[in-house]
DNA sequence: ACACGAATTGGAATAATTCTTGATATCAGC
DNA sequence: GCTGATATCAAGAATTATTCCAATTCGTGT
């Protein structure tokens, strides 16, 4: 399906295919919601939000879409302890600061020139594929 | 109950009370297992292991004990993505390297003098209570 | 020994996520 | 524009880790 502007009411273009993944209407919409709501929503948040524009999508489809987007490196899945997974369209290397008093999650970047792997006492021969940094605390 | 040596066959002493937590037989045993099996076992791992010495303990009790130990800062709970929680008696500040080829989890310490919070672009006023670092990859 | 609060048990309940199956939609080639 | 092959979707059932609950047992202080 071609993304007519009337069907893509967002302020950024969504291509029909990204990284070899067919961008169906549902996936477009899930991605658009993630780009608009930068609050690291859960699958259920996305589900409730998507019903406004595509009332027929099921929660299972939201999960499918999110997984497809994650698998293709278009978004990231973020886990805090055992809480429901959250999703994040920020692909830059970054961590997450979880403000416990408000529940808000802030993206946290490294200061320029910092390479975490250099600062760690890694087991010899370790090849890092992915780094996850989570901070918990509050804003004074 | 006094820890008679016949009832505490480990090579380290377990006090009757730690950090205000009554160390019941079950909690002692859970803690002992964690100290012996440094593989970051799951609650279920501990459950299967504890049946060898205390066959009557329930899985719920294992969860209770683990939670009590975590709450009192005696052990740490470690989460990898959505996998079952793992538990770790290493209280030093450290991260975890998950070797995907073997499934083994290695503790990773910072090189001396490194303070992670200094290297991050934190939101102003952020007070860090806890840091979690997870690395995924393989050993070449 | 007694009473009271804490801990334990076992099973039921919960919640996020995944799986299954049948229905639909989409694509490539003719 | 058709047709078969493939990918996606919807709905609900199933799974899994974990928590909750009610009843019993245990430990500690008196």
């Amino acid at each position: 399906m071609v993304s007519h502007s009337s069907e893509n009411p967002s302020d950024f273009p969504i291509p029909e295919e990204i990284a070899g993944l067919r961008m169906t209407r549902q996936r477009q919409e899930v991605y658009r919601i993630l780009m608009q709501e930068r609050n690291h929503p859960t699958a259920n948040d996305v589900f409730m939000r998507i019903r406004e524009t595509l009332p027929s999508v099921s929660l299972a489809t939201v999960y499918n879409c999110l997984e497809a987007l994650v698998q293709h490196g278009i978004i990231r899945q973020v886990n805090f302890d055992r809480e429901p997974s959250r999703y994040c369209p920020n692909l830059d290397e970054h961590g997450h600061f979880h403000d416990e008093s408000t529940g808000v999650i802030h993206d946290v970047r490294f200061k320029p020139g910092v390479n975490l792997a250099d600062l760690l006492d890694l087991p010899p021969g370790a090849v890092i594929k992915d780094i996850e940094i989570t901070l918990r605390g509050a804003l004074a």
Side-chain angles (χ1 to χ4, degrees), chain A:
Chain A
M1 174 193 287
V2 175
S3 291
H4 299 293
S5 61
S6 62
E7 295 174 352
N8 175 16
S10 55
D11 50 356
F12 56 90
I14 297 180
E16 291 175 51
E17 186 173 316
I18 300 181
L21 178 68
R22 209 162 83 200
M23 284 304 272
T24 65
R25 191 75 219 285
Q26 290 88 337
R27 289 173 185 163
Q28 283 179 27
E29 199 62 13
V30 166
Y31 183 63
R32 191 180 64 74
I33 288 169
L34 283 183
M35 289 297 275
Q36 279 186 356
E37 299 221 8
R38 295 308 202 94
N39 308 322
H40 304 79
T42 64
N44 201 58
D45 292 337
V46 173
F47 175 57
M48 295 200 297
R49 194 85 161 52
I50 203 172
R51 316 203 82 188
E52 297 168 12
T53 47
L54 298 177
S56 68
V57 290
S58 67
L59 180 56
T61 294
V62 172
Y63 273 105
N64 286 340
C65 292
L66 289 169
E67 191 193 341
L69 293 168
V70 168
Q71 298 288 296
H72 286 74
I74 298 165
I75 64 174
R76 294 178 58 131
Q77 181 173 5
V78 181
N79 297 300
F80 296 100
D81 298 327
R82 299 244 96 226
E83 291 173 23
S85 289
R86 296 170 175 277
Y87 298 87
C88 172
N90 180 356
L91 294 177
D92 298 343
E93 185 175 72
H94 69 285
H96 293 101
F97 173 74
H98 194 170
D99 181 349
E100 286 180 324
S101 51
T102 64
V104 175
I105 290 152
H106 302 261
D107 285 358
V108 174
R109 267 182 284 172
F110 286 109
K111 288 182 178 166
V114 173
N115 184 1
L116 181 61
D118 295 343
L119 308 171
L120 295 171
D121 202 1
L122 290 169
V127 177
I128 308 298
K129 281 197 210 140
D130 191 59
I131 295 180
E132 209 171 287
I133 294 182
T134 305
L135 306 144
R136 224 163 315 117
L139 291 182

